[in-house]
Amino acid sequence: MEPPSASPHRGHVPWQGLLLAVLVSPLTFWNLPTTAQLAIESVPFTAAEGTDVLLLAHNVSENVKGYTWYKGERGIDSHQISIYLTATQGIIPGPAYSGRETVYPNGSLLFQKVTLEDTGFYTLQTISSDLQAEKASGHICVYRE
């Protein structure tokens, strides 16, 4: 004889389904507060050699003191393209600066007349007024026309 709580059709105990619903339900609706993270988007996604490409910075904090752009996925000083200081709107070129790059006040980086050698990852590092650093990388893909 089966216990009275058992389902005669599948052998499931109804309270097990109820328990599962009670455990899963709060997890479904409970989300940790998230802040938008710094992100880089290549516009266009792929570019013909000789065209311009914008590495568009998204979700930049409001209290940024400066931006530093690097060639590559890590912030290596020898691959530094430029530093942009928001207070003076001045640009300090780095060792990887070619003269074809422009940093905008929103942190975005414009490449003019890209070459095949420009293909690769680029990293933006922001520094906030409380000296907190944030990094994000984007990718440029250049093809020969």
Side-chain angles (χ1 to χ4, degrees):
M1 182 164 179
E2 292 184 28
S5 60
S7 170
H9 300 291
R10 295 187 188 158
H12 291 282
V13 178
W15 61 265
Q16 287 176 330
L18 179 60
L19 180 60
L20 181 61
V22 169
L23 291 174
V24 173
S25 182
L27 296 175
T28 304
F29 297 106
W30 182 65
N31 290 322
L32 291 172
T34 58
T35 57
Q37 290 184 343
L38 181 64
I40 306 300
E41 174 189 10
S42 178
V43 181
F45 185 70
T46 59
E49 195 173 22
T51 62
D52 296 349
V53 175
L54 179 67
L55 289 175
L56 184 59
H58 292 282
N59 305 320
V60 177
S61 300
E62 292 181 19
N63 61 345
V64 171
K65 290 288 187 187
Y67 305 102
T68 305
W69 275 100
Y70 300 92
K71 173 125 178 150
E73 290 186 89
R74 298 182 300 167
I76 299 173
D77 287 343
S78 61
H79 296 139
Q80 184 183 83
I81 298 169
S82 66
I83 297 172
Y84 180 90
L85 303 172
T86 55
T88 62
Q89 295 185 353
I91 295 175
I92 302 168
Y97 182 74
S98 71
R100 297 178 294 115
E101 302 91 356
T102 303
V103 181
Y104 291 105
N106 68 354
S108 298
L109 178 67
L110 175 68
F111 280 87
Q112 296 175 318
K113 300 180 181 170
V114 291
T115 66
L116 293 174
E117 291 77 34
D118 292 324
T119 294
F121 284 94
Y122 292 85
T123 299
L124 170 62
Q125 179 177 353
T126 64
I127 302 293
S128 64
S129 57
D130 57 357
L131 301 180
Q132 295 297 310
E134 193 174 6
K135 284 185 181 181
S137 294
H139 188 263
I140 291 178
C141 184
V142 182
Y143 61 91
R144 188 175 315 241
E145 195 147 31

Coordinates of all heavy atoms in Angstrom, one line a residue, residues 70-144:
Y70 N 45.8 51.2 -24.4 CA 46.9 50.4 -24.7 C 46.6 49.5 -25.9 O 45.5 49.1 -26.1 CB 47.2 49.4 -23.5 CG 47.5 50.1 -22.2 CD1 46.5 50.5 -21.3 CD2 48.8 50.5 -21.9 CE1 46.8 51.1 -20.1 CE2 49.1 51.1 -20.7 CZ 48.1 51.4 -19.8 OH 48.4 52.0 -18.6
K71 N 47.6 49.1 -26.6 CA 47.5 48.1 -27.7 C 47.7 46.8 -26.9 O 48.7 46.6 -26.1 CB 48.5 48.3 -28.8 CG 48.5 47.1 -29.7 CD 48.4 47.5 -31.1 CE 48.4 46.3 -32.0 NZ 47.7 46.3 -33.1
G72 N 46.8 45.8 -27.1 CA 46.9 44.5 -26.4 C 45.8 44.4 -25.3 O 45.1 45.4 -25.0
E73 N 45.8 43.3 -24.7 CA 44.8 43.0 -23.7 C 45.2 43.4 -22.3 O 44.5 43.2 -21.3 CB 44.4 41.5 -23.7 CG 43.6 41.2 -24.9 CD 43.1 39.8 -24.9 OE1 41.9 39.6 -24.4 OE2 43.8 38.9 -25.4
R74 N 46.5 43.8 -22.1 CA 47.0 44.1 -20.8 C 47.5 45.6 -20.9 O 47.9 46.0 -21.9 CB 48.1 43.2 -20.3 CG 47.5 41.8 -20.2 CD 48.5 40.8 -19.7 NE 49.7 40.8 -20.6 CZ 50.8 40.2 -20.3 NH1 51.0 39.7 -19.2 NH2 51.8 40.2 -21.2
G75 N 47.6 46.2 -19.8 CA 48.1 47.6 -19.7 C 49.6 47.6 -19.6 O 50.1 47.9 -18.5
I76 N 50.3 47.3 -20.6 CA 51.8 47.3 -20.6 C 52.3 48.7 -21.1 O 51.9 49.2 -22.1 CB 52.4 46.2 -21.5 CG1 51.9 44.9 -21.0 CG2 53.9 46.3 -21.5 CD1 52.3 43.7 -21.9
D77 N 53.1 49.3 -20.2 CA 53.6 50.7 -20.5 C 54.2 50.9 -21.9 O 53.9 51.9 -22.6 CB 54.6 51.2 -19.5 CG 54.0 51.5 -18.1 OD1 52.7 51.6 -18.1 OD2 54.7 51.5 -17.2
S78 N 54.9 49.9 -22.4 CA 55.5 50.0 -23.7 C 54.5 49.9 -24.9 O 54.8 50.3 -26.0 CB 56.6 48.9 -23.9 OG 56.0 47.6 -23.9
H79 N 53.3 49.5 -24.5 CA 52.2 49.4 -25.5 C 51.1 50.5 -25.3 O 50.1 50.5 -25.9 CB 51.5 48.1 -25.5 CG 52.4 46.9 -25.8 ND1 52.4 45.7 -25.2 CD2 53.3 46.8 -26.8 CE1 53.3 44.9 -25.7 NE2 53.8 45.6 -26.7
Q80 N 51.5 51.5 -24.5 CA 50.6 52.6 -24.2 C 50.4 53.5 -25.5 O 51.4 54.0 -26.1 CB 51.1 53.5 -23.1 CG 50.2 54.6 -22.6 CD 50.8 55.4 -21.5 OE1 51.6 56.3 -21.8 NE2 50.5 55.0 -20.3
I81 N 49.2 53.7 -25.9 CA 48.9 54.6 -27.0 C 48.8 56.0 -26.6 O 49.5 56.9 -27.1 CB 47.6 54.2 -27.7 CG1 47.7 52.8 -28.3 CG2 47.2 55.2 -28.8 CD1 46.4 52.2 -28.7
S82 N 48.0 56.3 -25.6 CA 47.9 57.7 -25.1 C 47.2 57.7 -23.7 O 46.4 56.8 -23.4 CB 47.2 58.6 -26.1 OG 45.9 58.2 -26.2
I83 N 47.4 58.8 -23.1 CA 46.7 59.1 -21.8 C 45.8 60.4 -22.1 O 46.3 61.3 -22.7 CB 47.6 59.4 -20.7 CG1 48.5 58.2 -20.3 CG2 46.9 59.9 -19.4 CD1 49.6 58.5 -19.3
Y84 N 44.6 60.4 -21.7 CA 43.7 61.5 -21.8 C 43.3 62.0 -20.5 O 42.8 61.3 -19.6 CB 42.5 61.2 -22.6 CG 41.5 62.3 -22.8 CD1 41.6 63.2 -23.9 CD2 40.5 62.6 -21.9 CE1 40.8 64.2 -24.1 CE2 39.6 63.6 -22.1 CZ 39.8 64.5 -23.2 OH 38.9 65.5 -23.4
L85 N 43.6 63.3 -20.2 CA 43.3 63.9 -18.9 C 42.0 64.7 -19.0 O 42.0 65.7 -19.8 CB 44.5 64.8 -18.4 CG 45.8 64.0 -18.2 CD1 46.9 65.0 -17.9 CD2 45.7 62.9 -17.2
T86 N 41.0 64.3 -18.3 CA 39.7 65.0 -18.4 C 39.7 66.5 -18.0 O 39.0 67.3 -18.5 CB 38.6 64.2 -17.7 OG1 39.0 64.1 -16.3 CG2 38.4 62.9 -18.3
A87 N 40.5 66.8 -16.9 CA 40.5 68.1 -16.4 C 41.0 69.1 -17.4 O 40.5 70.2 -17.5 CB 41.4 68.2 -15.1
T88 N 42.1 68.7 -18.1 CA 42.7 69.7 -19.1 C 42.3 69.3 -20.6 O 42.6 70.1 -21.5 CB 44.2 69.6 -19.0 OG1 44.6 68.3 -19.3 CG2 44.7 70.0 -17.6
Q89 N 41.6 68.2 -20.8 CA 41.3 67.6 -22.1 C 42.6 67.5 -22.9 O 42.5 67.6 -24.1 CB 40.3 68.5 -22.8 CG 38.9 68.5 -22.1 CD 37.8 69.2 -22.8 OE1 38.1 69.9 -23.8 NE2 36.6 69.0 -22.3
G90 N 43.7 67.2 -22.2 CA 44.9 67.1 -22.9 C 45.3 65.6 -23.1 O 44.9 64.7 -22.4
I91 N 46.0 65.4 -24.2 CA 46.4 64.0 -24.6 C 48.0 63.9 -24.4 O 48.7 64.8 -24.9 CB 46.0 63.7 -26.0 CG1 44.5 63.6 -26.1 CG2 46.6 62.3 -26.4 CD1 43.9 63.4 -27.5
I92 N 48.4 62.9 -23.8 CA 49.8 62.6 -23.6 C 50.1 61.4 -24.5 O 49.6 60.3 -24.1 CB 50.2 62.4 -22.2 CG1 49.9 63.6 -21.3 CG2 51.7 62.0 -22.1 CD1 50.0 63.4 -19.8
P93 N 50.8 61.5 -25.6 CA 51.1 60.3 -26.4 C 52.0 59.3 -25.7 O 52.9 59.7 -25.0 CB 51.7 60.9 -27.7 CG 52.1 62.3 -27.3 CD 51.4 62.7 -26.1
G94 N 51.8 58.0 -26.0 CA 52.6 57.0 -25.4 C 53.5 56.4 -26.5 O 53.4 56.8 -27.7
P95 N 54.3 55.4 -26.2 CA 55.2 54.7 -27.1 C 54.5 54.1 -28.3 O 55.1 54.0 -29.4 CB 55.9 53.6 -26.3 CG 55.7 54.0 -24.9 CD 54.4 54.8 -24.8
A96 N 53.3 53.7 -28.2 CA 52.5 53.0 -29.3 C 51.7 54.0 -30.1 O 50.9 53.6 -31.0 CB 51.7 51.9 -28.7
Y97 N 51.8 55.3 -29.8 CA 51.0 56.3 -30.5 C 51.6 56.5 -31.9 O 52.8 56.7 -32.1 CB 51.1 57.6 -29.7 CG 50.3 58.8 -30.3 CD1 48.9 58.8 -30.2 CD2 51.0 59.8 -31.0 CE1 48.2 59.9 -30.7 CE2 50.2 60.9 -31.5 CZ 48.9 60.9 -31.4 OH 48.1 61.9 -31.9
S98 N 50.7 56.4 -32.9 CA 51.1 56.6 -34.3 C 50.8 57.9 -34.9 O 51.2 58.2 -36.0 CB 50.5 55.5 -35.1 OG 49.1 55.7 -35.3
G99 N 49.9 58.7 -34.2 CA 49.5 60.0 -34.8 C 48.1 59.8 -35.5 O 47.5 60.8 -35.9
R100 N 47.6 58.6 -35.6 CA 46.3 58.4 -36.3 C 45.2 58.2 -35.2 O 44.1 58.0 -35.6 CB 46.4 57.2 -37.2 CG 47.4 57.3 -38.3 CD 47.5 56.0 -39.2 NE 48.0 54.9 -38.4 CZ 47.4 53.8 -38.1 NH1 46.1 53.6 -38.5 NH2 47.9 52.8 -37.4
E101 N 45.6 58.2 -33.9 CA 44.6 58.0 -32.9 C 44.1 59.3 -32.2 O 44.9 60.2 -32.0 CB 45.2 57.1 -31.8 CG 45.7 55.8 -32.3 CD 47.2 55.8 -32.7 OE1 47.8 56.9 -32.7 OE2 47.7 54.7 -33.0
T102 N 42.8 59.3 -31.9 CA 42.2 60.5 -31.2 C 41.4 59.9 -30.1 O 40.5 59.0 -30.3 CB 41.3 61.3 -32.1 OG1 42.1 61.7 -33.3 CG2 40.7 62.5 -31.4
V103 N 41.6 60.4 -28.8 CA 40.8 60.0 -27.7 C 39.8 61.1 -27.5 O 40.2 62.3 -27.4 CB 41.7 59.8 -26.4 CG1 40.8 59.4 -25.3 CG2 42.8 58.8 -26.7
Y104 N 38.6 60.7 -27.3 CA 37.5 61.7 -27.0 C 37.2 61.8 -25.6 O 37.5 60.9 -24.8 CB 36.2 61.3 -27.8 CG 36.4 61.4 -29.3 CD1 36.6 60.3 -30.1 CD2 36.4 62.6 -29.9 CE1 36.8 60.4 -31.5 CE2 36.6 62.8 -31.3 CZ 36.8 61.6 -32.1 OH 36.9 61.8 -33.4
P105 N 36.5 62.9 -25.2 CA 36.2 63.1 -23.7 C 35.4 62.0 -23.1 O 35.4 61.8 -21.9 CB 35.4 64.4 -23.7 CG 35.9 65.2 -24.9 CD 36.2 64.1 -26.0
N106 N 34.7 61.2 -23.9 CA 33.9 60.1 -23.3 C 34.8 58.8 -23.2 O 34.2 57.7 -22.8 CB 32.7 59.8 -24.1 CG 32.9 59.3 -25.5 OD1 34.1 59.2 -26.0 ND2 31.9 58.9 -26.2
G107 N 36.0 58.9 -23.6 CA 36.9 57.7 -23.5 C 37.1 56.9 -24.8 O 37.9 56.1 -24.8
S108 N 36.3 57.2 -25.7 CA 36.3 56.5 -27.0 C 37.6 56.8 -27.8 O 38.2 57.9 -27.6 CB 35.1 56.8 -27.9 OG 33.9 56.4 -27.2
L109 N 38.1 55.8 -28.6 CA 39.3 56.0 -29.3 C 39.1 55.8 -30.8 O 38.5 54.8 -31.2 CB 40.4 55.0 -28.9 CG 41.7 54.9 -29.6 CD1 42.5 56.2 -29.3 CD2 42.5 53.7 -29.1
L110 N 39.4 56.8 -31.6 CA 39.2 56.8 -33.0 C 40.6 56.5 -33.7 O 41.6 57.1 -33.4 CB 38.7 58.1 -33.6 CG 38.6 58.3 -35.1 CD1 37.5 57.3 -35.6 CD2 38.4 59.7 -35.5
F111 N 40.6 55.5 -34.6 CA 41.7 55.2 -35.4 C 41.4 55.7 -36.8 O 40.4 55.3 -37.4 CB 42.0 53.7 -35.5 CG 42.7 53.1 -34.4 CD1 41.9 52.7 -33.2 CD2 44.0 53.0 -34.3 CE1 42.6 52.2 -32.2 CE2 44.7 52.4 -33.2 CZ 44.0 52.0 -32.1
Q112 N 42.3 56.5 -37.4 CA 42.1 57.0 -38.8 C 43.0 56.1 -39.7 O 44.1 55.8 -39.4 CB 42.4 58.4 -38.9 CG 41.5 59.3 -38.1 CD 41.9 60.8 -38.1 OE1 43.1 61.1 -38.0 NE2 41.0 61.7 -38.2
K113 N 42.4 55.8 -40.8 CA 43.1 55.0 -41.9 C 43.8 53.8 -41.3 O 45.0 53.7 -41.3 CB 44.1 55.9 -42.6 CG 43.4 57.1 -43.3 CD 44.4 58.0 -44.0 CE 43.6 59.1 -44.6 NZ 44.4 60.1 -45.1
V114 N 43.0 52.8 -40.8 CA 43.6 51.6 -40.2 C 44.4 50.8 -41.2 O 44.1 50.9 -42.4 CB 42.5 50.7 -39.5 CG1 41.8 51.4 -38.3 CG2 41.4 50.3 -40.5
T115 N 45.3 50.1 -40.6 CA 46.2 49.2 -41.4 C 46.0 47.8 -40.9 O 45.4 47.6 -39.9 CB 47.7 49.6 -41.3 OG1 48.1 49.3 -40.0 CG2 47.9 51.0 -41.7
L116 N 46.4 46.8 -41.7 CA 46.3 45.4 -41.2 C 47.0 45.2 -39.9 O 46.6 44.4 -39.0 CB 46.9 44.5 -42.3 CG 46.2 44.4 -43.6 CD1 47.0 43.5 -44.6 CD2 44.8 43.8 -43.4
E117 N 48.1 46.0 -39.6 CA 48.8 45.9 -38.4 C 48.0 46.4 -37.2 O 48.3 46.1 -36.0 CB 50.1 46.7 -38.4 CG 51.2 46.0 -39.4 CD 50.9 46.3 -40.8 OE1 50.4 47.4 -41.2 OE2 51.2 45.5 -41.7
D118 N 46.9 47.1 -37.4 CA 46.1 47.6 -36.3 C 45.1 46.5 -35.8 O 44.5 46.7 -34.8 CB 45.2 48.8 -36.8 CG 46.1 50.1 -37.1 OD1 47.1 50.3 -36.3 OD2 45.8 50.8 -38.0
T119 N 45.0 45.4 -36.5 CA 44.2 44.3 -36.1 C 44.7 43.8 -34.7 O 45.9 43.7 -34.5 CB 44.2 43.1 -37.1 OG1 43.6 43.6 -38.3 CG2 43.4 41.9 -36.6
G120 N 43.7 43.7 -33.8 CA 44.1 43.1 -32.5 C 43.3 43.7 -31.4 O 42.3 44.4 -31.6
F121 N 43.7 43.4 -30.2 CA 43.0 43.9 -29.0 C 43.5 45.2 -28.5 O 44.7 45.5 -28.7 CB 43.1 42.9 -27.8 CG 42.2 41.7 -28.0 CD1 42.7 40.5 -28.6 CD2 40.9 41.7 -27.6 CE1 41.9 39.4 -28.8 CE2 40.0 40.6 -27.8 CZ 40.5 39.5 -28.4
Y122 N 42.6 46.0 -27.9 CA 43.0 47.3 -27.3 C 42.3 47.4 -26.0 O 41.2 46.9 -25.8 CB 42.5 48.4 -28.2 CG 43.3 48.5 -29.5 CD1 42.9 47.7 -30.6 CD2 44.5 49.3 -29.6 CE1 43.7 47.7 -31.8 CE2 45.2 49.3 -30.8 CZ 44.8 48.5 -31.8 OH 45.6 48.5 -33.0
T123 N 43.0 48.0 -25.0 CA 42.5 48.0 -23.6 C 42.4 49.5 -23.2 O 43.3 50.3 -23.4 CB 43.5 47.3 -22.7 OG1 43.5 45.9 -23.1 CG2 43.0 47.4 -21.2
L124 N 41.3 49.8 -22.6 CA 41.0 51.1 -22.0 C 41.1 50.9 -20.5 O 40.4 50.0 -19.9 CB 39.7 51.6 -22.4 CG 39.2 52.9 -21.7 CD1 40.1 54.1 -21.9 CD2 37.8 53.2 -22.1
Q125 N 41.9 51.8 -19.8 CA 41.9 51.8 -18.4 C 41.4 53.2 -18.0 O 41.9 54.2 -18.4 CB 43.2 51.6 -17.8 CG 43.3 51.6 -16.3 CD 44.6 51.3 -15.7 OE1 45.6 50.9 -16.4 NE2 44.8 51.5 -14.4
T126 N 40.4 53.3 -17.1 CA 40.0 54.5 -16.5 C 40.4 54.7 -15.1 O 40.6 53.7 -14.4 CB 38.4 54.6 -16.5 OG1 37.9 53.6 -15.7 CG2 37.9 54.5 -18.0
I127 N 40.7 55.9 -14.7 CA 41.0 56.2 -13.3 C 40.0 57.2 -12.8 O 39.8 58.3 -13.4 CB 42.4 56.8 -13.2 CG1 43.5 55.8 -13.7 CG2 42.8 57.1 -11.7 CD1 43.7 54.5 -13.0
S128 N 39.3 56.8 -11.7 CA 38.3 57.7 -11.1 C 38.9 58.7 -10.1 O 40.1 58.6 -9.7 CB 37.2 56.9 -10.4 OG 37.7 56.2 -9.3
S129 N 38.1 59.7 -9.7 CA 38.6 60.7 -8.7 C 39.0 60.0 -7.4 O 39.8 60.6 -6.7 CB 37.5 61.7 -8.5 OG 36.3 61.1 -8.0
D130 N 38.5 58.9 -7.0 CA 38.9 58.2 -5.8 C 40.0 57.1 -6.1 O 40.2 56.2 -5.3 CB 37.7 57.6 -5.1 CG 36.9 56.6 -5.9 OD1 37.2 56.4 -7.1 OD2 36.0 56.0 -5.4
L131 N 40.6 57.3 -7.3 CA 41.8 56.5 -7.7 C 41.4 55.0 -7.9 O 42.3 54.1 -7.8 CB 43.0 56.6 -6.7 CG 43.5 58.0 -6.6 CD1 44.6 58.1 -5.6 CD2 43.9 58.6 -7.9
Q132 N 40.2 54.7 -8.3 CA 39.8 53.4 -8.6 C 40.0 53.2 -10.1 O 39.6 54.0 -10.9 CB 38.3 53.1 -8.3 CG 38.0 53.2 -6.8 CD 38.7 52.1 -6.0 OE1 38.7 50.9 -6.4 NE2 39.4 52.5 -5.0
A133 N 40.6 52.0 -10.5 CA 40.9 51.7 -11.9 C 39.9 50.7 -12.4 O 39.4 49.8 -11.6 CB 42.3 51.2 -12.0
E134 N 39.5 50.9 -13.6 CA 38.6 49.9 -14.3 C 39.2 49.7 -15.7 O 39.6 50.6 -16.3 CB 37.2 50.5 -14.4 CG 36.1 49.5 -14.7 CD 34.7 50.1 -14.6 OE1 34.6 51.3 -14.4 OE2 33.8 49.4 -14.9
K135 N 39.1 48.4 -16.2 CA 39.7 48.1 -17.5 C 38.6 47.4 -18.3 O 37.8 46.6 -17.8 CB 40.9 47.2 -17.4 CG 42.1 47.9 -16.9 CD 43.3 46.9 -17.0 CE 44.6 47.5 -16.5 NZ 45.7 46.6 -16.6
A136 N 38.7 47.6 -19.6 CA 37.9 46.8 -20.6 C 38.7 46.7 -21.9 O 39.5 47.6 -22.2 CB 36.6 47.5 -20.8
S137 N 38.5 45.7 -22.6 CA 39.2 45.5 -23.9 C 38.2 45.3 -25.0 O 37.1 44.9 -24.8 CB 40.1 44.2 -23.8 OG 41.1 44.4 -22.9
G138 N 38.7 45.8 -26.2 CA 37.9 45.6 -27.4 C 38.8 45.1 -28.5 O 40.0 45.1 -28.3
H139 N 38.2 44.8 -29.6 CA 39.0 44.2 -30.7 C 38.7 44.9 -32.0 O 37.6 45.3 -32.3 CB 38.6 42.7 -30.9 CG 39.5 42.0 -31.8 ND1 39.2 41.8 -33.1 CD2 40.7 41.4 -31.7 CE1 40.1 41.1 -33.7 NE2 41.1 40.9 -32.9
I140 N 39.8 45.2 -32.8 CA 39.6 45.7 -34.1 C 40.1 44.6 -35.1 O 41.1 44.0 -34.9 CB 40.6 46.9 -34.4 CG1 40.1 48.1 -33.5 CG2 40.6 47.3 -35.8 CD1 41.0 49.3 -33.6
C141 N 39.2 44.4 -36.1 CA 39.6 43.4 -37.2 C 39.6 44.2 -38.5 O 38.6 44.7 -39.0 CB 38.5 42.4 -37.2 SG 38.9 41.1 -38.4
V142 N 40.8 44.3 -39.1 CA 41.0 45.0 -40.4 C 41.3 43.9 -41.5 O 42.0 43.0 -41.3 CB 42.2 45.9 -40.3 CG1 42.4 46.7 -41.6 CG2 42.0 46.9 -39.1
Y143 N 40.6 44.1 -42.6 CA 40.8 43.2 -43.7 C 41.3 44.0 -45.0 O 41.0 45.2 -45.1 CB 39.6 42.4 -44.1 CG 38.4 43.3 -44.5 CD1 38.1 43.6 -45.8 CD2 37.5 43.7 -43.5 CE1 37.1 44.4 -46.2 CE2 36.4 44.5 -43.9 CZ 36.2 44.8 -45.2 OH 35.1 45.6 -45.5
R144 N 42.0 43.3 -45.8 CA 42.5 44.0 -47.0 C 41.3 44.0 -48.0 O 40.6 43.1 -48.2 CB 43.6 43.1 -47.6 CG 44.3 43.8 -48.8 CD 45.5 42.9 -49.2 NE 46.3 42.5 -48.0 CZ 47.5 42.8 -47.8 NH1 48.2 43.5 -48.6 NH2 48.1 42.4 -46.7

